[in-house]
Amino acid sequence: MLTTKLFPFLDLDILKPYFYFLLFIGLYLTIRLKFPQIRFLFLAVKIFSGNMDYKGSRGRLVHSQAFYAGTGSSLLPGAVLGSALALVLSGPGVLLWIWVSSFLIMPLRFVSSTLAIRFRIKLESGRYLSGPMYFIEKALKARWLAIAFALTGLLTVLAMGGAMPMLGVSFLAQNGLDIQGMTVPFLISVVVIFVVLGGIRRVGRISAYLAPIGIILFFLSYVLLFRGSLVGFTSFMEAVWKDATQPFSVLLGGGFSLFRIFSTGTGMFFLSTETGIGKSAGVAGVVRTDAAAKQGIVSMLATFFEGFVVSTFVIYALFSFGVKDLETIRNFLVVLIQGPVDPARTALFLSFLLFSVVAISGWFYTGEQNARYIFGEKFANAYRILFIASLLASAYGYLVYGEDVLLQIFGIGYSLALVTAVPVLVSLVLLAKVAQGELRKFLEGGAHYEIFKDFYLLLLSILPKNLVSLLFGILASLRLPRFIMIPILRAFAKAYKINVDEAELEIQEYNSLNQFFTRALKAGARIIDSAENAMVSPVDARITGFGDIHDQVILQAKGVDYNLKELIGGEKYLSKFQNGKYITFYLSPQDYHRIHSPAYGRILGYYYEPGKLFPVNELAVFGIRGLFPKNERLITFLQTEYGLVAVIKVGASNVGRIRVTYDKKIITNTLIRTAKEEDYKDVSIMIDKGAELGRFEMGSTVILVIEKDSFDFGELPLNDKVTYGTPIGTFRKKVLNLPK
């Protein structure tokens, strides 16, 4: 199998040193960075999901957009092709070595993406310049090497990034969809032009839509096409293990012989997935982030998905159909794409067409960065024309010359990619210390990476939190028979150590869990501080943070901050609260859950933001960046005689509803939710200090935001419990008189 000739212009023997170099660097980085692929796997998914995004960060794309735009061509098309070629070159045992190698090689993408952000350049226009050539020049002081990389990279883009995907499109269109001529390539080119003319933001946004759809269609078609035709997975894995550790190889030279046999196939897999050639780093460099290491951590997911997921599915299917060499893989393709055009095949073709748009668009941006670096801004338009011309020329070449041109272009593309990889891989070794420093800064900045906690936060990201909370609210409102309800209420009260003696009613008088949870207190259970200039706690809760607002930033704790504009829902009262003060109250299930006015005043209006419903416990608050502005919020604006106060009621998991006393029309956490703002211009709604303002139907958080220069904190017990009515500070100077 090792003597198989795949493509012209590509010597398969050169794949061995390429793979050895990859593996050496991967092992070195794995040890130096202390196994980041294990420590940060769940954290990577959390960052990818957007739960650690910070809108104040610099950049053009969010993490998921940069991920798909940068790795779109390798996630599916590259991994599928690479897996098939690896099987042909080295047999089914190659899968085991792809797994092992992928694990070790994951840190390569971490380092390259981290360096791309660390050494990116921002122009006055707001545009970012990034890619391996910039960290090679700025960190290694080797401009000649950077130019060499950019030049070979530009040629690689034209062959591997433009011509190869378009040839794949032409092959599918003519052989699978039976659409002859240039129709499909022309349409793909038009779509690509539309995408890339919108700049990297449009590339990222379109990629973030098309790539997930393409992945879903691929796996859907896989199930529909191959169900009932696959061999038992246990039998498949036995064959993989037997082939990967075949006895005759051990006799011929032990582990090194095994290593040599599978290095060609494994090298082909990683070359097909563009590993080490710096393509994804160029797009990663424009991500919107406050820490360079964050996108580096996310980038490792690409190698994980390609090496552990796609390769397994593809080699499993090909093995089941007896694919062993080029002839059998050709027969498999004929059966696969020339069968009846049913939903399964349509889904498969669509998945590759969608990914072709993502791949070509991402490659276009990478090539544009390289062209600008070498030739300057003036060459940009010429490059765009050259790139589109290469797309159409490759499609026309396939139409005229058939598969010969496909094989030749693939051989040229792979050969150029190997040359391009050399300066990138060398720089990754030399600059590993810089990436390690960026990782250290990220972790010292408050990032948490405990594996089990990150897994918990990952589950929070996946679960339909709003729907679960809505259903929980419905269940909590059910009125069950008394002989069932009373034991439930007593068990609930005992579990959370609720002081039932303060409740207005006896526990057996409550008809539902929700009614008990939103219970009123007995008269006189709380004393409202009577000092006219005293602000009182609006809730029974634990104070988890308080302090000054620095311009528009609320610093809850180290590594936990919020943007004031996002939190209060706009700019209407923003200027009054800038440089003001804030207090955060956390209500546990144990607490009394009605909310009271912290001062006497007039309710000016409210703003409702239908966000997510993450829990607001300490783990979630510290683990999910900007959690409070992400969650559902109902903000009441209260004009006191001393200044403006915003009472921000933050929804949370299992909070069925947030209700207020001053407007019965407000309903939160519904299936269809839209942001809403209301000003009470034609009505004067006055509320006394300590009067009921609203309630949570299950636990959550209240944040008070207080107008600047109007308030001084009292002696606040941080992380200790306060009860509503307790003074938390004093107002300074009365600025207006309100009717009593």
Side-chain angles (χ1 to χ4, degrees):
M1 284 185 286
L2 292 175
T3 59
T4 301
K5 184 69 175 177
L6 289 179
F7 306 115
F9 310 108
L10 177 64
D11 184 355
L12 294 181
D13 287 336
I14 202 172
L15 292 173
K16 295 176 183 177
Y18 163 73
F19 172 66
Y20 297 154
F21 199 20
L22 277 182
L23 208 58
F24 164 75
I25 297 173
L27 182 61
Y28 168 72
L29 295 177
T30 293
I31 296 172
R32 174 153 197 158
L33 299 173
K34 300 177 182 178
F35 292 85
Q37 60 271 65
I38 295 177
R39 291 196 293 159
F40 305 126
L41 181 60
F42 294 127
L43 180 62
V45 179
K46 185 173 69 173
I47 298 171
F48 175 83
S49 68
N51 291 331
M52 295 184 70
D53 284 352
Y54 180 50
K55 292 185 178 180
S57 302
R58 296 183 303 164
R60 311 286 283 180
L61 303 178
V62 298
H63 294 286
S64 58
Q65 292 171 343
F67 175 84
Y68 285 125
T71 61
S73 53
S74 64
L75 277 180
L76 200 61
V80 170
L81 177 62
S83 300
L85 295 177
L87 176 64
V88 168
L89 289 169
S90 300
V94 76
L95 178 61
L96 178 63
W97 299 106
I98 288 176
W99 288 349
V100 173
S101 304
S102 295
F103 174 79
L104 293 174
I105 288 172
M106 284 172 69
L108 267 73
R109 272 193 166 123
F110 165 78
V111 175
S112 62
S113 294
T114 300
L115 293 175
I117 297 173
R118 170 65 176 79
F119 293 101
R120 66 186 179 183
I121 297 173
K122 184 179 182 181
L123 303 179
E124 292 182 0
S125 62
R127 179 186 177 90
Y128 284 89
L129 303 179
S130 64
M133 52 277 190
Y134 291 99
F135 60 72
I136 291 173
E137 177 186 350
K138 295 175 69 175
L140 296 181
K141 309 298 181 183
R143 179 165 170 76
W144 65 271
L145 186 61
I147 292 175
F149 162 79
L151 185 59
T152 56
L154 183 59
L155 297 174
T156 303
V157 167
L158 295 175
M160 195 173 187
M164 284 174 61
M166 186 58 81
L167 286 168
V169 168
S170 301
F171 177 81
L172 279 178
Q174 294 189 34
N175 295 281
L177 301 175
D178 196 26
I179 301 176
Q180 305 301 316
M182 294 288 291
T183 303
V184 174
F186 180 77
L187 290 176
I188 292 291
S189 298
V190 171
V191 173
V192 168
I193 291 171
F194 166 76
V195 174
V196 299
L197 287 182
I200 188 59
R201 280 189 173 177
R202 186 179 293 172
V203 171
R205 289 170 181 169
I206 297 295
S207 298
Y209 282 115
L210 297 187
I213 295 173
I215 291 172
I216 293 171
L217 288 175
F218 173 78
F219 286 111
L220 177 63
S221 65
Y222 184 96
V223 172
L224 294 175
L225 285 170
F226 302 134
R227 60 181 178 180
S229 302
L230 299 173
V231 301
F233 191 74
T234 302
S235 301
F236 166 65
M237 288 308 303
E238 288 175 353
V240 168
W241 177 257
K242 182 179 179 180
D243 189 58
T245 58
Q246 48 190 313
F248 78 87
S249 295
V250 177
L251 292 174
L252 288 174
F256 182 73
S257 180
L258 280 172
F259 197 62
R260 188 173 65 249
I261 288 173
F262 290 105
S263 61
T264 305
T266 312
M268 177 57 75
F269 173 81
F270 287 112
L271 187 60
S272 298
T273 55
E274 305 154 13
T275 305
I277 66 175
K279 185 252 181 175
S280 60
V283 180
V286 300
V287 76
R288 187 170 67 214
T289 182
D290 56 325
K294 285 172 69 173
Q295 185 61 24
I297 290 172
V298 170
S299 296
M300 291 192 295
L301 291 175
T303 303
F304 178 85
F305 183 78
E306 296 155 3
F308 288 94
V309 180
V310 178
S311 65
T312 303
F313 275 84
V314 173
I315 293 177
Y316 181 31
L318 295 177
F319 175 83
S320 298
F321 282 83
V323 171
K324 297 179 180 179
D325 50 31
L326 286 178
E327 188 60 32
T328 52
I329 202 170
R330 186 187 299 271
N331 295 336
F332 172 78
L333 286 174
V334 169
V335 173
L336 180 64
I337 68 176
Q338 292 186 353
V341 181
D342 52 19
R345 286 178 173 80
T346 301
L348 180 65
F349 298 152
L350 281 176
S351 71
F352 279 96
L353 289 176
L354 292 177
F355 261 97
S356 68
V357 173
V358 174
I360 294 171
S361 300
W363 273 107
F364 173 90
Y365 180 78
T366 301
E368 188 177 52
Q369 293 277 55
N370 288 12
R372 287 175 184 273
Y373 182 82
I374 302 170
F375 303 107
E377 186 73 26
K378 294 181 180 179
F379 187 71
N381 288 331
Y383 163 76
R384 295 185 183 112
I385 296 172
L386 180 63
F387 185 85
I388 298 300
S390 72
L391 295 181
L392 296 175
S394 61
Y396 182 75
Y398 180 79
L399 183 65
V400 175
Y401 300 106
E403 292 184 12
D404 287 342
V405 72
L406 185 149
L407 295 175
Q408 290 175 1
I409 294 296
F410 271 51
I412 293 171
Y414 279 131
S415 299
L416 287 170
L418 285 168
V419 176
T420 304
V422 174
V424 178
L425 295 175
V426 170
S427 64
L428 296 186
V429 175
L430 297 178
L431 297 176
K433 184 177 180 180
V434 178
Q436 187 177 27
E438 292 296 323
L439 177 60
R440 188 182 302 112
K441 284 197 298 184
F442 174 54
L443 298 178
E444 290 175 352
H448 295 260
Y449 66 92
E450 293 91 338
I451 292 176
F452 293 108
K453 290 183 179 180
D454 287 333
F455 180 67
Y456 163 72
L457 294 170
L458 171 60
L459 291 179
L460 291 182
S461 303
I462 296 173
L463 289 173
K465 296 167 286 297
N466 295 63
L467 179 60
V468 170
S469 297
L470 180 62
L471 294 176
F472 187 87
I474 294 172
L475 291 174
S477 299
L478 289 178
R479 298 193 174 196
L480 301 175
R482 308 300 299 167
F483 71 91
I484 297 177
M485 180 55 65
I486 293 174
I488 290 176
L489 295 179
R490 285 177 175 164
F492 184 84
K494 183 177 180 180
Y496 288 104
K497 300 179 181 179
I498 295 172
N499 185 357
V500 295
D501 294 333
E502 294 182 331
E504 183 181 42
L505 304 176
E506 296 295 326
I507 195 168
Q508 60 269 20
E509 296 182 67
Y510 293 99
N511 296 317
S512 67
L513 181 60
N514 187 56
Q515 191 181 65
F516 174 66
F517 197 84
T518 58
R519 63 195 176 278
L521 299 181
K522 291 178 179 177
R526 299 288 183 270
I527 298 175
I528 311 301
D529 190 278
S530 59
E532 186 177 1
N533 67 338
M535 179 185 285
V536 300
S537 171
V539 286
D540 284 10
R542 181 164 55 92
I543 295 179
T544 57
F546 65 91
D548 296 325
I549 300 171
H550 302 284
D551 191 19
Q552 294 187 33
V553 177
I554 296 177
L555 183 62
Q556 175 84 5
K558 183 179 180 181
V560 182
D561 52 37
Y562 308 103
N563 181 274
L564 177 63
K565 180 180 175 181
E566 295 174 21
L567 189 65
I568 65 174
E571 298 184 354
K572 185 171 184 178
Y573 298 110
L574 182 62
S575 61
K576 288 183 175 291
F577 293 126
Q578 281 182 264
N579 298 306
K581 298 183 186 297
Y582 78 95
I583 310 175
T584 304
F585 302 87
Y586 169 66
L587 290 78
S588 71
Q590 178 189 56
D591 295 317
Y592 164 70
H593 271 68
R594 298 198 180 191
I595 307 160
H596 297 257
S597 178
Y600 169 71
R602 175 190 290 128
I603 296 174
L604 301 180
Y606 70 86
Y607 176 78
Y608 169 63
E609 176 64 38
K612 300 179 181 179
L613 286 174
F614 287 105
V616 291
N617 55 43
E618 186 173 302
L619 176 57
V621 168
F622 279 86
I624 299 174
R625 186 67 182 268
L627 183 144
F628 291 150
K630 283 184 170 71
N631 268 16
E632 181 178 64
R633 302 180 310 288
L634 180 60
I635 301 111
T636 301
F637 296 103
L638 178 67
Q639 178 64 62
T640 74
E641 294 181 315
Y642 302 88
L644 190 63
V645 177
V647 183
I648 304 171
K649 297 162 284 295
V650 183
S653 295
N654 299 331
V655 175
R657 292 279 190 274
I658 303 172
R659 299 188 186 273
V660 291
T661 57
Y662 56 84
D663 194 331
K664 303 298 183 183
K665 295 181 294 183
I666 300 175
I667 301 176
T668 68
N669 193 19
T670 57
L671 286 175
I672 301 175
R673 304 174 304 145
T674 57
K676 184 178 180 181
E677 185 174 11
E678 184 73 36
D679 288 323
Y680 298 124
K681 296 179 180 179
D682 301 326
V683 61
S684 179
I685 304 176
M686 308 302 297
I687 188 167
D688 289 326
K689 178 165 60 176
E692 186 179 334
L693 183 66
R695 67 185 67 174
F696 287 119
E697 297 181 354
M698 298 306 281
S700 194
T701 290
V702 170
I703 303 172
L704 295 182
V705 177
I706 308 155
E707 186 175 347
K708 61 184 176 183
D709 301 327
S710 67
F711 175 80
D712 294 309
F713 293 114
E715 294 294 328
L716 297 183
L718 185 62
N719 290 319
D720 285 340
K721 188 71 69 72
V722 294
T723 56
Y724 97 80
T726 303
I728 54 176
T730 56
F731 288 110
R732 293 181 183 176
K733 181 181 179 182
K734 186 178 290 190
V735 294
L736 58 87
N737 291 310
L738 295 174
K740 300 297 183 181

